[in-house]
């Protein structure tokens, strides 16, 4: 008779155990020669050696399933034990899965072009109107790279520019002051990574979120680096950012030319970068349009109305 302890280090054990240990009870019933006791993130197994090896392999497959899909059902567990493909495995073209198990994938032709451009280039510019999924899809690609271990960290940045209003003095320490500018990045990450895991990754600096001003002097290696709202950078800022690129690093720069919040006298760094860098080998440019908007249908109509008004004024 053999005893073994299996430690679940990188997933929420409650996801594997199920509500009221429902999943664990199913697993136990499939291995009658074993005595299984779960405490916290440790599973203690006692019993037949051969059956224990099969049990350990099953737990590892379920762990991998949870890591990939952020969820597991009773049906999935039975499919895994019986060596069958799960329903989630049959879905094609998924970048990553949300914490609720929802597949995150392209929802338009240009979004697919962004995915392909990321795979084929080390630097990608993704430009288009609000709601086209530029930031969300870019962060999904970064999370995928982290999960597949093709990158060791994710670095997300934004210029701290106020959108047409003066917020004045913000209380708190430096993090408290910059967090309002970076909240959209937090929102996307919280949709793709469990809260406990996200917090742990941020504490260990596996995921770093910082305003653009904090990039000066750094060399960014083994990372996926995303610059969001790049239309609000100055030419000097975006040049500084682009030259932070190190070995085994990919960069995605997103922006919306219709939402430049810089003073009228200041030139947008994104506009200049696209003029200078388009056509250089290793740099991809993807333009998303109002047809790619994936928010509420009214967003498309609002964008169209403003575009029509701008044409009339011109």
């Amino acid at each position: 008779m053999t005893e073994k302890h299996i430690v679940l280090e990188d997933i929420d054990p409650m996801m594997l155990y199920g509500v009221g240990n429902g999943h664990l009870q199913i697993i136990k019933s499939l291995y009658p020669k074993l005595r299984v006791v779960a405490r916290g993130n440790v599973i203690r197994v006692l019993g037949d050696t051969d059956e224990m090896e099969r049990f350990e392999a099953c737990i590892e497959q379920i762990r991998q399933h949870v890591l990939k899909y952020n969820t597991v059902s009773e049906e999935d567990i039975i499919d895994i034990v019986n060596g069958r493909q799960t329903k989630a495995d049959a879905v094609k073209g998924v970048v990553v899965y949300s914490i609720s198990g929802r597949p995150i994938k392209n929802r338009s032709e240009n979004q697919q072009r962004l995915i392909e451009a990321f795979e084929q280039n080390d630097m990608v510019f993704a430009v288009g109107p609000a709601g086209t999924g530029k930031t969300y899809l870019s962060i999904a690609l970064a999370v995928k790279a982290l999960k597949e271990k093709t990158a060791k960290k994710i670095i997300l940045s934004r210029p701290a520019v106020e959108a047409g209003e003066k917020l004045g003095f913000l209380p708190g320490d430096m993090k408290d002051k910059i967090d309002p500018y970076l909240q959209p990045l937090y929102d996307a990450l919280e949709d793709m990574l469990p809260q406990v895991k996200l917090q742990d990754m941020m504490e260990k600096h596996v995921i770093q979120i910082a305003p653009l001003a904090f990039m000066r002097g750094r060399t960014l290696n083994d990372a996926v680096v995303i610059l969001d709202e790049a239309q609000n950078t100055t030419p000097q800022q975006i040049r500084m950012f682009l030259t932070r690129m190190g070995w085994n690093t990919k960069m995605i720069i997103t922006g919306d030319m219709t939402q430049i919040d810089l003073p009228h006298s200041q030139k947008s760094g994104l506009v200049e970068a696209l003029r200078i860098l388009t056509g250089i080998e290793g740099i991809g440019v993807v333009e998303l349009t109002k047809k790619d908007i994936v928010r509420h249908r009214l967003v498309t109509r609002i964008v169209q109305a403003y575009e029509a008004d701008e044409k009339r004024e011109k």
Side-chain angles (χ1 to χ4, degrees), residues 86-97:
T86 65
K87 285 183 177 180
D89 289 328
V91 180
K92 304 300 181 185
V94 177
V95 179
V96 290
Y97 286 78

Side-chain angles (χ1 to χ4, degrees), residues 48-92:
D48 179 76
T49 303
D50 292 338
E51 188 146 310
M52 188 177 294
E53 288 180 1
R54 292 192 293 272
F55 175 85
E56 191 173 6
C58 171
I59 293 296
E60 175 59 20
Q61 284 182 281
I62 296 171
R63 186 188 72 83
Q64 292 289 348
H65 189 281
V66 171
L67 273 177
K68 185 174 182 180
Y69 301 117
N70 284 321
T71 186
V72 66
S73 66
E74 294 180 3
E75 186 179 355
D76 291 331
I77 289 171
I78 293 169
D79 285 338
I80 289 169
V81 171
N82 292 320
R84 297 193 298 259
Q85 185 183 53
T86 65
K87 285 183 177 180
D89 289 328
V91 180
K92 304 300 181 185

Side-chain angles (χ1 to χ4, degrees), residues 3 23 45 47 86 101 141 149 162 186 194 196 212 225 227 294 306:
E3 180 176 343
H23 293 169
V45 193
T86 65
L141 289 166
K149 302 189 186 305
E162 295 163 349
Y186 288 114
V196 174
L212 182 59
V225 188
L227 174 60
V294 292
Y306 272 94

Side-chain angles (χ1 to χ4, degrees), residues 100-232:
S100 63
R102 174 177 56 83
I104 298 170
K105 55 192 297 189
N106 72 293
R107 295 177 63 181
S108 72
E109 186 177 332
N110 283 328
Q111 285 191 356
Q112 180 59 32
R113 286 183 59 222
L114 173 54
I115 294 170
E116 292 169 358
F118 178 79
E119 293 170 350
Q120 297 164 6
N121 299 278
D122 288 337
M123 184 180 291
V124 179
F125 286 85
V127 294
T132 51
K134 305 181 299 294
T135 302
Y136 191 80
L137 189 56
S138 296
I139 291 177
L141 289 166
V143 170
K144 180 186 180 184
L146 198 62
K147 287 189 171 188
E148 293 179 349
K149 302 189 186 305
T150 57
K152 293 181 180 178
K153 56 192 172 187
I154 297 173
I155 300 172
L156 308 174
S157 186
R158 261 188 165 203
V161 176
E162 295 163 349
E165 55 184 321
K166 299 297 182 185
L167 300 179
F169 173 76
L170 293 173
D173 58 17
M174 180 61 72
K175 185 177 184 302
D176 294 329
K177 294 176 190 295
I178 65 176
D179 273 358
Y181 297 103
L182 306 173
Q183 192 58 48
L185 306 180
Y186 288 114
D187 291 344
L189 285 169
E190 287 169 355
D191 197 32
M192 299 175 203
L193 294 167
Q195 184 62 44
V196 174
K197 188 172 183 179
L198 174 58
Q199 190 65 38
D200 181 61
M201 285 180 166
M202 294 186 72
E203 288 174 0
K204 293 177 178 176
H205 302 291
V206 174
I207 295 177
Q208 303 171 29
I209 304 179
L212 182 59
F214 286 21
M215 292 291 124
R216 186 173 295 279
R218 299 185 66 183
T219 300
L220 309 173
N221 297 317
D222 301 307
V224 177
V225 188
I226 298 173
L227 174 60
D228 192 35
E229 300 289 351
Q231 77 276 1
N232 288 329

Side-chain angles (χ1 to χ4, degrees), residues 15-33:
M15 199 171 287
L16 189 149
Y17 301 157
V19 178
N21 284 343
H23 293 169
L24 192 61
Q25 294 303 324
I26 291 173
I27 298 169
K28 285 181 180 181
S29 68
L30 297 169
Y31 297 93
K33 295 181 182 179

